[in-house]
C-alpha cells in the first residue's frame, strides 16, 4: 500500500461535502478498488474512534442528537450543556448539584446497552482510575444513570489545544518543548500503568488558563499487551497515526511516542512530517533547524 497516496486522498476527501464524497468514493471503487478499500477501512476506524465519546467534537456531530436537556440530573450531577456526541453516547458539561461544594466536570454518558460496550466503558473507567498525574485529566466519579446507562465524570478542562496556545501566547522553542516534556511525563505515567492513549494529537492536549497541560480523552485507550484483535484499529487520527495503526497491527508504547514526535514536529514547523509510501515519515530537519531536536524527532517517529 502506498500510504503517502492514501493519506493525500483521505485529506482531500475530508474537504468534500457528503454527496460529493460518496460520488468520489464510488468512482474510486471503480478505478482503484484496493485504494478505495484501504480508505474505507481508515474512514471506518476514524469514525469509530471519534464516536467513542471524545470530550471535544465538532458541532455538526451532534446537531440532531437526542441529548439531555439542560438542568437534567444524573446522580448528583446537573447537566449544563452538550460538549460532544457520537454513536455510543454523549459528553456534557455538568456541575455538582448536591450542595456540598461547587465542582464542574465533563460527564460521559453511554447510550449503548450491549454487554461488550458496557464492559469496554467500565474498562475505561478502571483504566482512568489508575492514572494519577497532574498532566492527565482525572476521573472524578462514576455510576449508573436512572435508565441503566453507565456514566463517568472527568475533570473538565477549560483550555485551548496546545497548538493554539503556543500560537496565541507566542511561545518560544524552549517554552514549547517544556510543554512537550510535560506531555511526555503524562504518557510515561500512563505507560507505567500499562495504559496506551493511542490518539495523542493537538486537540487532546489542552492548556488551561493557568498554563497547565492536561492530556484528555483516554476513551480510545487500550492496555499494553491487549489481546483484542481490534486493539490497534479504533483510535486513528490519520495525520498522527503510526504505521502500525495504518496497517491495523498491534500497538505499543512506541505508538504514543510516534504521535508525540509528530505533534512536536507540528508545533516546531507548522506541519506534520511528510508521509512516505511505506507509512513512515520524513523529518524536515531544515525546518527544525536544530540537529539534536531533529535527531530526537527522527528517533521518536522511526
Amino acid at each position: 500500500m502506498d500510504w503517502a497516496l492514501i493519506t493525500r486522498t483521505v485529506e482531500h476527501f475530508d474537504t468534500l461535502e457528503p454527496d460529493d464524497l460518496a460520488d468520489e468514493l464510488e468512482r474510486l471503487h471503480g478505478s482503484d478498488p484496493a485504494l478505495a478499500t484501504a480508505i474505507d477501512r481508515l474512514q471506518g476506524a476514524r469514525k469509530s474512534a471519534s464516536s467513542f465519546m471524545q470530550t471535544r467534537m465538532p458541532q455538526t456531530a451532534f446537531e440532531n442528537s437526542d441529548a439531555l436537556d439542560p438542568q437534567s440530573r444524573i446522580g448528583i450531577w446537573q447537566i449544563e450543556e452538550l460538549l460532544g456526541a457520537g454513536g455510543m453516547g454523549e459528553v456534557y458539561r455538568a456541575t455538582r448539584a448536591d450542595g456540598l461544594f461547587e465542582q464542574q466536570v465533563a460527564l460521559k454518558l453511554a447510550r449503548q446497552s450491549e454487554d461488550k460496550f458496557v464492559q469496554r466503558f467500565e474498562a475505561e473507567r478502571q483504566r482512568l482510575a489508575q492514572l494519577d498525574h497532574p498532566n492527565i485529566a482525572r476521573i472524578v466519579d462514576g455510576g449508573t444513570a436512572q435508565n441503566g446507562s453507565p456514566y463517568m465524570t472527568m475533570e473538565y478542562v477549560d483550555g485551548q489545544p496546545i497548538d493554539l496556545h503556543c500560537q496565541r501566547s507566542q511561545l518560544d522553542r524552549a517554552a514549547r518543548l517544556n510543554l512537550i516534556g510535560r506531555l511526555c511525563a503524562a504518557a510515561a505515567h500512563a505507560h507505567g500503568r500499562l495504559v496506551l492513549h493511542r490518539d495523542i494529537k493537538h486537540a487532546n492536549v489542552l492548556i488551561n488558563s493557568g498554563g497547565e497541560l492536561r492530556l484528555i480523552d483516554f476513551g480510545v485507550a487500550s492496555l499494553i499487551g491487549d489481546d483484542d484483535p481490534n486493539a490497534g484499529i479504533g483510535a486513528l487520527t490519520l495525520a498522527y497515526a503510526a504505521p502500525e495503526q495504518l496497517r491495523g497491527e498491534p500497538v505499543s508504547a512506541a505508538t504514543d511516542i510516534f504521535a508525540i514526535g509528530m505533534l512536536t514536529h507540528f508545533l516546531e514547523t507548522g506541519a506534520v512530517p511528510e508521509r512516505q509510501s511505506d507509512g513512515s515519515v520524513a523529518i524536515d530537519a531544515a525546518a527544525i533547524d536544530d540537529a539534536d531536536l531533529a535527531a530526537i524527532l527522527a528517533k521518536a517517529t522511526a
Side-chain angles (χ1 to χ4, degrees), residues 16-290:
L16 301 178
E17 296 297 326
D19 290 344
D20 295 331
L21 175 60
D23 291 342
E24 288 282 344
L25 277 172
E26 184 177 355
R27 282 194 289 270
L28 191 61
H29 273 284
S31 62
D32 194 336
L35 176 60
T37 299
I39 289 174
D40 283 343
R41 185 185 70 82
L42 281 174
Q43 296 284 47
R46 296 198 303 164
K47 181 178 180 181
S48 172
S50 65
S51 70
F52 192 64
M53 301 180 302
Q54 292 188 339
T55 305
R56 291 167 176 262
M57 295 181 66
Q59 179 68 29
T60 54
F62 53 85
E63 282 177 347
N64 298 318
S65 172
D66 56 343
L68 297 177
D69 294 327
Q71 311 306 310
S72 300
R73 289 281 295 269
I74 294 182
I76 63 171
W77 305 101
Q78 178 175 294
I79 301 301
E80 299 293 339
E81 65 172 331
L82 182 67
L83 296 176
M88 297 183 183
E90 297 102 34
V91 182
Y92 299 89
R93 182 173 62 84
T95 55
R96 189 167 184 133
D98 60 2
L100 291 180
F101 53 86
E102 293 185 4
Q103 188 174 24
Q104 190 168 224
V105 297
L107 186 148
K108 293 187 174 187
L109 176 66
R111 289 290 190 181
Q112 296 285 337
S113 59
E114 296 181 5
D115 289 344
K116 184 176 181 180
F117 173 77
V118 172
Q119 290 171 3
R120 183 180 176 186
F121 189 89
E122 292 175 348
E124 180 190 355
R125 290 196 302 205
Q126 183 60 41
R127 282 195 296 267
L128 290 168
Q130 299 175 41
L131 305 181
D132 182 15
H133 191 275
N135 298 122
I136 295 177
R138 69 187 186 281
I139 189 169
V140 175
D141 186 24
T144 303
Q146 292 89 330
N147 65 357
S149 298
Y151 74 89
M152 66 178 163
T153 57
M154 301 288 304
E155 173 188 4
Y156 176 71
V157 182
D158 186 10
Q160 298 177 327
I162 187 172
D163 57 328
L164 290 180
H165 174 77
C166 290
Q167 179 183 5
R168 292 173 179 175
S169 300
Q170 298 183 323
L171 299 186
D172 60 18
R173 171 168 286 176
R176 293 193 299 269
L177 293 181
N178 180 274
L179 290 175
I180 291 296
R182 297 183 215 173
L183 173 59
C184 289
H189 175 83
H191 294 167
R193 284 146 186 80
L194 303 183
V195 176
L196 305 175
H197 188 284
R198 300 198 304 160
D199 197 25
I200 295 176
K201 57 185 178 181
H202 59 276
N204 284 341
V205 182
L206 301 182
I207 313 298
N208 65 20
S209 58
E212 294 300 320
L213 180 144
R214 295 289 190 279
L215 177 60
I216 66 170
D217 283 337
F218 277 80
V220 289
S222 66
L223 293 177
I224 293 176
D226 195 338
D227 59 3
D228 182 348
N230 296 316
I233 298 175
L236 188 64
T237 298
L238 189 61
Y240 293 90
E244 62 270 19
Q245 288 179 292
L246 296 176
R247 295 190 292 262
E249 296 172 354
V251 294
S252 70
T255 306
D256 284 348
I257 294 170
F258 181 96
I260 293 173
M262 297 290 279
L263 176 57
T264 306
H265 192 286
F266 181 79
L267 294 181
E268 292 300 309
T269 69
V272 294
E274 182 179 352
R275 186 75 66 174
Q276 306 298 292
S277 61
D278 63 356
S280 65
V281 296
I283 297 299
D284 189 345
I288 295 293
D289 194 27
D290 183 295

